[in-house]
Amino acid sequence: MRIKHSDIIIDKDNPFANCELDREPCAKILTDIVNSYKDGFVLAINNEWGTGKTTFVKMWQQYLDNNDYNTLYFNAWENDFDSNPLVAIMSELKTLTNPSNDKFFKSVLQKGAMLSKNILPALLKAIAQKYIETDTIINAIENTTKGVTEILEEEIKEYTNKKQSVKEFRDELEKFVAKTDSDKPIVFIIDELDRCRPNYAVEVLEQMKHFFSVKGIVFVLSIDKIQLGHAIKGVYGNENINSEEYLRRFIDLEYSIPIPSIDNFCKYLYEYYSFDDFFASKERSQHSIFQPDRDYLLKMATILLSKANATLRQQEKIFGQTRLIINAFAANNYAFPHLLFVLVYIKIMKPNLYLRIEKNTISLQDLSDEFSNLVPKDLSPYGLNMLYVEAVLLTFYNNQQDHSIRKGLTQKNEEGETVSIVKSKLEVDTDRNSLVLCLDSVSREWNYGEKKLSYLLNKINLIEPLKV
């Protein structure tokens, strides 16, 4: 049994063999694009966090390797401990050296060393001016013993040297790339750029554009543009900066990996976490009342995760936690899988709401409103009676109250009709008072009509021992 989703094993011969999201066609499309523009460009794979970008680019990298491309993978987040990305990027390029291009790489290194020498003093000065307010320290860095004219002359000379160093570096780099053992472009993947230090992320972008943008290198940025935009605004200290326009300077083509259907991914996670080891166990299968449990859980998962537009990582976490909690039930226990999944979902996605439920500080009407907000307006495609699930939730929550102060969930109106004390947003046919029918159905279930919500909460909070 698994508690979390492990990294997918990438088969060297068939890299997409274990991909459950059918993303091999995306890799083929991107490979065609790379092959069509061999002179080099910058491609951004833009998806939000938790959508499987890293897994995809690693599978694609192996696919490219299998098709005679030279590829490089650089995890910016794992390398942002270094102050200068130039060194890290050069280290990745070194892996492409061979006897025929080794001397060219050494020349690139030499020019890179000169480049670092020219840019670092200016960088230190800029950092000092940005973060240090003490004029004495700034003046010490700038060496005020020199006259204004001498300083200006040195600045002009320094600028000229930097400009020449950049040109020489790019020239040598282009020669090195041309001497690699493939006539196809080098595909240089930069991953996790949106998760590393903001200053480092911006420096990677700037150096990629100014130093490494040469014929024969295709850069692939695996990013979440929204998060990277926050980093850019942080570096420049201005929330009003147009980060979209800033990134447009670096990115030539943008692509988003299609997100799989929630329904299919839920079924995949159900199987991955082996829920049938519990729901379809021999002992549990003997009780006919438990047979719909599998469908209840899957339908509820599809409903909630579709409305929330949850990322793949969030879906994995919710399913993994639910599977762990299932181990707290004996084979002959009621698991109420629809309501159980709702509560696990709330705990992970809406922790403040979960705390109010757990502490019995939310009113029945507010609980009803919050529940209805979790689901889409049109429930017809899902085939699950959400009003019944709401009735179970309200009943179990109300049962938490002491008998002496517990309110009934229904009452008689002036016409003598039985109505609910709660008005559910999920009720469409008000003439039928369908929530009342559901509440009545729950109350007549002798085997769980008096159940308290703590029956599920204690298991979710891992207060009760597991049965395995």
Side-chain angles (χ1 to χ4, degrees), residues 86 104 107-116 118-119 158-176 207 209-215:
L86 179 67
F104 293 99
S107 181
V108 175
L109 281 179
Q110 185 180 24
K111 300 302 179 184
M114 292 298 296
L115 194 61
S116 295
N118 284 325
I119 66 172
E158 183 180 305
Y159 173 80
T160 303
N161 288 339
K162 281 191 289 185
K163 190 173 180 180
Q164 183 62 27
S165 295
V166 171
K167 181 181 183 306
E168 291 175 354
F169 177 83
R170 287 164 58 93
D171 288 345
E172 295 304 311
L173 179 60
E174 194 165 327
K175 292 176 186 176
F176 168 72
Q207 293 195 16
K209 178 178 177 60
H210 296 301
F211 305 156
F212 294 93
S213 180
V214 299
K215 182 178 179 180

Side-chain angles (χ1 to χ4, degrees), residues 223-463:
I223 58 172
D224 179 337
K225 276 180 65 178
I226 293 176
Q227 299 301 326
L228 188 55
H230 293 327
I232 292 165
K233 291 178 180 179
V235 169
Y236 288 98
N238 186 351
E239 278 296 317
N240 295 321
I241 189 172
N242 189 333
S243 58
E244 184 78 22
E245 188 61 35
Y246 175 88
L247 286 171
R248 198 170 287 125
R249 296 166 48 205
F250 305 96
I251 298 169
D252 300 305
L253 178 65
E254 187 175 315
Y255 183 85
S256 294
I257 312 168
I259 303 301
S261 76
I262 297 291
D263 184 46
N264 289 340
F265 196 60
C266 285
K267 289 175 181 176
Y268 160 70
L269 291 175
Y270 182 93
E271 294 177 4
Y272 181 85
Y273 287 109
S274 305
F275 277 85
D276 272 347
D277 287 355
F278 175 78
F279 288 124
S281 65
K282 183 177 179 181
E283 184 176 357
R284 196 169 181 81
S285 298
Q286 295 174 1
H287 303 278
S288 60
I289 196 169
F290 296 146
Q291 289 179 5
D293 281 1
R294 177 186 187 275
D295 287 340
Y296 287 162
L297 187 140
L298 280 172
K299 287 176 180 177
M300 181 57 75
T302 303
I303 290 170
L304 295 182
L305 298 175
S306 295
K307 173 68 184 297
N309 196 24
T311 68
L312 303 185
R313 188 173 293 136
Q314 288 170 332
Q315 295 177 57
E316 290 170 0
K317 184 174 182 179
I318 295 168
F319 266 87
Q321 287 289 309
T322 305
R323 184 62 185 91
L324 173 65
I325 293 159
I326 286 291
N327 287 331
F329 294 89
N332 61 351
N333 284 167
Y334 282 90
F336 306 104
H338 34 36
L339 181 55
L340 177 69
F341 196 91
V342 169
L343 293 171
V344 175
Y345 170 88
I346 292 173
K347 183 175 184 180
I348 292 174
M349 302 291 284
K350 298 178 176 293
N352 290 335
L353 173 58
Y354 183 84
L355 192 62
R356 292 173 67 197
I357 294 172
E358 187 180 25
K359 291 186 174 182
N360 295 319
T361 58
I362 187 171
S363 70
L364 287 166
Q365 184 59 61
D366 286 346
L367 182 58
S368 172
D369 292 343
E370 292 285 0
F371 178 80
S372 64
N373 290 337
L374 298 179
V375 301
K377 292 182 179 179
D378 182 14
L379 287 166
S380 55
Y382 300 104
L384 185 63
N385 188 343
M386 294 299 291
L387 268 174
Y388 182 81
V389 179
E390 181 181 347
V392 176
L393 171 62
L394 294 173
T395 301
F396 285 14
Y397 181 77
N398 195 48
N399 288 345
Q400 297 278 95
Q401 303 296 327
D402 186 86
H403 275 283
S404 60
I405 59 172
R406 185 187 303 174
K407 296 179 180 179
L409 294 176
T410 60
Q411 60 186 13
K412 297 287 186 179
N413 63 13
E414 294 179 354
E415 289 76 27
E417 299 172 325
T418 302
V419 296
S420 169
I421 66 169
V422 169
K423 182 61 178 175
S424 173
K425 294 180 181 179
L426 297 181
E427 283 190 295
V428 178
D429 188 354
T430 54
D431 292 335
R432 291 184 57 202
N433 267 323
S434 50
L435 180 59
V436 167
L437 297 178
C438 292
L439 288 168
D440 180 61
S441 177
V442 173
S443 67
R444 286 188 284 106
E445 293 285 352
W446 66 269
N447 43 5
Y448 64 78
E450 285 296 316
K451 275 277 191 297
K452 296 182 178 181
L453 199 60
S454 57
Y455 171 75
L456 296 177
L457 296 178
N458 288 344
K459 293 175 174 59
I460 293 171
N461 295 334
L462 301 179
I463 294 174

Side-chain angles (χ1 to χ4, degrees), residues 86-106:
L86 179 67
V87 176
I89 294 174
M90 288 295 295
S91 297
E92 297 297 332
L93 282 172
K94 189 178 187 300
T95 63
L96 298 180
T97 56
N98 57 55
S100 65
N101 68 10
D102 186 59
K103 67 176 182 178
F104 293 99
F105 184 75
K106 288 178 180 177

